[in-house]
Amino acid sequence: GLVSHCRAVADVIPVIGFYLQPAAGGRVLPYAFWRKFSEIRNVVAIKAAPFNRYQTIDVIRAVADARRDDIALYTGNDDNIIMDLLTPYRFGSTVRRFAGGLLGHWAVWTKTAVRLLARCRRTTARGDSVPASLLRLNIEVTDANAAFFDAANNFSGCIAGIHEVLRRQGLLRGTWCLDPRETLGPGQKAEIDRVYKAYPHLNDDMF
């Protein structure tokens, strides 16, 4: 059903797949789904954001098995985004990597995120060992994302949290969402305060 619908749409426009974690409104989609999805000729990219290592591997393995080296892979796994960008995913003789990231941490503090992406690309291009500094940054970014997305409250304040950071940067006037019941979660503002103080090198407020 869902794959057939995607095929029909793909006959008209390029398609980007989006694997969203169930806690944020998505559903679990197995390897078999992504294997069939990868056969649709107009699929140009997939964003993997299940926040789950096993399910992330399902997506990349499916694309590799379909021999679709023309499908760009993007990570939305905000609990592991830097490691996703550094990791080679090898299946037999095929190696795939994430090309970049979408939304999540990339929706705020974007100048710093772009620098982090460039650093990850330089590291992988040289074939260097991953330095401890990038391992540390992976944890720092994950901690910041936990605050932005309200992980403590099962992501109920995920959109309002992003709006709150943009509000602090002067880019939005408030944290309003289309659903007026969608607000910052309990303790989320304090968590955003905490990560601002803990990781001043990650924000791009001056920019």
Side-chain angles (χ1 to χ4, degrees):
L2 186 55
V3 171
S4 297
H5 177 70
C6 290
R7 287 186 189 277
V9 172
D11 287 337
V12 182
I13 60 173
V15 173
I16 297 177
F18 181 13
Y19 197 171
L20 177 64
Q21 60 161 323
R27 58 186 291 186
V28 174
L29 297 168
Y31 166 87
F33 170 87
W34 293 109
R35 182 64 176 81
K36 290 182 179 179
F37 184 83
S38 298
E39 295 174 359
I40 301 172
R41 69 176 186 276
N42 283 22
V43 170
V44 296
I46 297 173
K47 174 189 174 181
F51 285 35
N52 181 295
R53 297 297 91 205
Y54 306 119
Q55 293 163 3
T56 297
I57 291 172
D58 282 343
V59 174
I60 305 173
R61 182 166 65 90
V63 173
D65 289 349
R67 302 185 183 280
R68 288 294 303 274
D69 58 4
D70 58 332
I71 294 178
L73 297 169
Y74 295 94
T75 175
N77 288 320
D78 298 302
D79 59 343
N80 201 52
I81 199 161
I82 290 180
M83 289 308 298
D84 269 356
L85 294 171
L86 292 168
T87 300
Y89 292 81
R90 183 185 298 276
F91 305 97
S93 60
T94 302
V95 177
R96 293 301 309 264
R97 290 183 180 274
F98 282 109
L102 289 174
L103 300 180
H105 177 67
W106 305 73
V108 299
W109 298 358
T110 307
K111 183 177 177 64
T112 304
V114 170
R115 288 204 306 264
L116 288 174
L117 172 60
R119 184 176 174 188
C120 290
R121 285 182 167 173
R122 287 194 301 271
T123 299
T124 58
R126 293 193 299 255
D128 292 346
S129 297
V130 176
S133 58
L134 277 175
L135 298 178
R136 184 184 67 247
L137 279 169
N138 185 60
I139 298 303
E140 294 174 353
V141 169
T142 298
D143 191 19
N145 286 334
F148 299 160
F149 277 90
D150 199 24
N153 297 297
N154 203 30
F155 305 97
S156 65
C158 60
I159 297 177
I162 292 295
H163 288 183
E164 170 62 13
V165 179
L166 295 174
R167 184 195 66 78
R168 295 180 185 211
Q169 295 185 299
L171 297 173
L172 290 180
R173 290 187 177 182
T175 62
W176 312 291
C177 298
L178 291 176
D179 183 346
R181 297 169 298 179
E182 198 164 353
T183 60
L184 291 173
Q188 188 179 7
K189 183 177 182 298
E191 278 295 286
I192 294 174
D193 290 339
R194 178 184 66 80
V195 297
Y196 252 97
K197 293 177 182 177
Y199 313 120
H201 52 288
L202 290 183
N203 77 59
D204 66 349
D205 288 9
M206 291 301 295
F207 172 73

